Amino acid sequence: MSNVLLECEGSIGWVVLNRPEKRNAMNPALNAEMLDVLDEVEADDSIEIMVLTGAGTAFSAGMDLKEYFHEIDSAPPARQRQVRREAYGWQYERLRMFPKPTIAMVNGWCFGGAFTPLVSCDLAIAAESATFGLSEVNWGIIPAGVVTRDLAAVLGYRTALDLIMTGRTFDGREAAAMGLVNSAVPAADLRAEVIALADRLRAKNPATLRAAKEAFKISHDMPWEQARDYLYAKLDQMRLHDTENGRQRGLEQFLDKQLRPGLTAVPREPPASL
Ligand code: COA
């Protein structure tokens, strides 16, 4: 693996897009590697939380304009389909429903196609100085793949059309204000903030956390009746997968008056580092 690094530290798996000389633009080789890295992170029981970030000055400058667009435009249709499938495969299909909590750590430039892995991550923290932009309109293309759909999921109508149609850049603070990321912090504090968030997530019951995020993402576009039925089914299914019996322990804590609003619910032994 050279285009992607996986660094394990405690129970965090740091997945680093690693083409700093190309501002981590996502070319076909990087996309293919990411599919393997995500399999590795899923299979490694020592990794509880995954953080996606970029090496150097960029989170990612988006799809590689040379290797993903220019060179692939003239490739045989089967190759074009494969290249798109691998990009879409990790950035949307695998990442959006990844079984472990995912955090995007936006350390720098974040353009175009990079919005898809950004939005696919469950949570996101940016450096205040990070620069975002949907520059596609400047290159004679539209935010394709599922970038436009991603925007519709996280931003309001006017904001999304402003970004899509003007291609203007904006910083981490504005990204937080519009809800594209959860928060923005000074670059020097970024890693510590991400670790603090990861520790908060690690204190939760993992089966509950997984079911909760899947339930939100899947029920998002469902009709209400269907959502109600699905969510009850999910609630029951979750108990089958929970080796820590979090529901039983959580309810007992409430009934024993150990747990009340304002107190921290910990139906799980806190990780050693807390
Ligand atoms: N695709 C392919 N190559 C890219 C790239 C992209 N999306 N973004 C950057 N690169 C390459 C540059 O071509 C350059 O390669 P070179 O050194 O071989 O000439 C290298 O990365 C460094 O880029 P440079 O522009 O010199 O870096 P910078 O720090 O001054 O600026 C950006 C960084 C991200 C602002 C700028 O590179 C940029 O605007 N990139 C395009 C981003 C974009 O529009 N993405 C949407 C794609 S759909």
Side-chain angles (χ1 to χ4, degrees), residues 21-23 25 61 63-65 69 109 111-112 135-136 139:
E21 73 289 354
K22 298 289 182 189
R23 306 301 180 259
M63 302 312 292
D64 191 304
L65 291 163
F69 288 110
W109 306 113
F111 283 98
S135 44
E136 284 88 338
W139 312 128

Side-chain angles (χ1 to χ4, degrees), residues 45-253:
D45 289 338
S46 73
I47 298 176
E48 293 184 61
I49 312 287
M50 187 187 116
V51 177
L52 179 68
T53 190
T57 57
F59 175 71
S60 169
M63 302 312 292
D64 191 304
L65 291 163
K66 177 171 176 279
E67 291 185 48
Y68 186 81
F69 288 110
H70 188 63
E71 291 174 1
I72 295 299
D73 280 352
S74 53
R79 173 66 181 148
Q80 291 191 17
R81 282 195 298 274
Q82 180 197 5
V83 160
R84 286 186 180 180
R85 192 167 56 238
E86 287 173 350
Y88 179 84
W90 84 263
Q91 295 170 7
Y92 173 69
E93 280 179 342
R94 288 283 283 124
L95 191 55
R96 182 167 176 267
M97 285 301 159
F98 201 67
K100 300 180 183 183
T102 52
I103 304 171
M105 183 170 92
V106 186
N107 51 308
W109 306 113
C110 179
F111 283 98
F115 278 49
T116 291
L118 169 65
V119 173
S120 290
C121 284
D122 304 324
L123 300 166
I125 303 182
E128 288 172 350
S129 55
T131 302
F132 297 77
L134 285 176
S135 44
E136 284 88 338
V137 69
N138 303 323
W139 312 128
I141 52 182
I142 64 168
V146 290
V147 175
T148 293
R149 183 66 186 81
D150 285 323
L151 292 187
V154 295
L155 300 180
Y157 187 94
R158 295 290 175 213
T159 306
L161 281 175
D162 170 28
L163 301 184
I164 289 169
M165 295 175 70
T166 68
R168 72 178 177 85
T169 58
F170 53 99
D171 65 13
R173 279 199 196 89
E174 191 177 346
M178 67 175 67
L180 182 60
V181 298
N182 294 93
S183 60
V185 298
D189 301 334
L190 183 60
R191 194 175 170 94
E193 282 292 324
V194 167
I195 291 172
L197 176 58
D199 281 345
R200 285 202 294 282
L201 295 173
R202 286 170 53 217
K204 309 291 181 199
N205 175 293
T208 307
L209 215 48
R210 177 177 175 182
K213 79 175 210 184
E214 286 176 357
F216 173 76
K217 293 182 184 189
I218 292 175
S219 67
H220 194 252
D221 298 322
M222 280 182 179
W224 284 64
E225 289 301 313
Q226 205 179 335
R228 186 191 60 181
D229 192 47
Y230 163 77
L231 291 170
Y232 269 121
K234 191 79 181 163
L235 188 65
D236 293 340
Q237 177 219 36
M238 201 186 83
R239 295 169 70 179
L240 299 175
H241 292 299
D242 182 9
T243 54
E244 298 182 11
N245 204 14
R247 176 188 164 116
Q248 187 63 23
R249 293 173 57 200
L251 292 178
E252 281 168 7
Q253 283 178 337

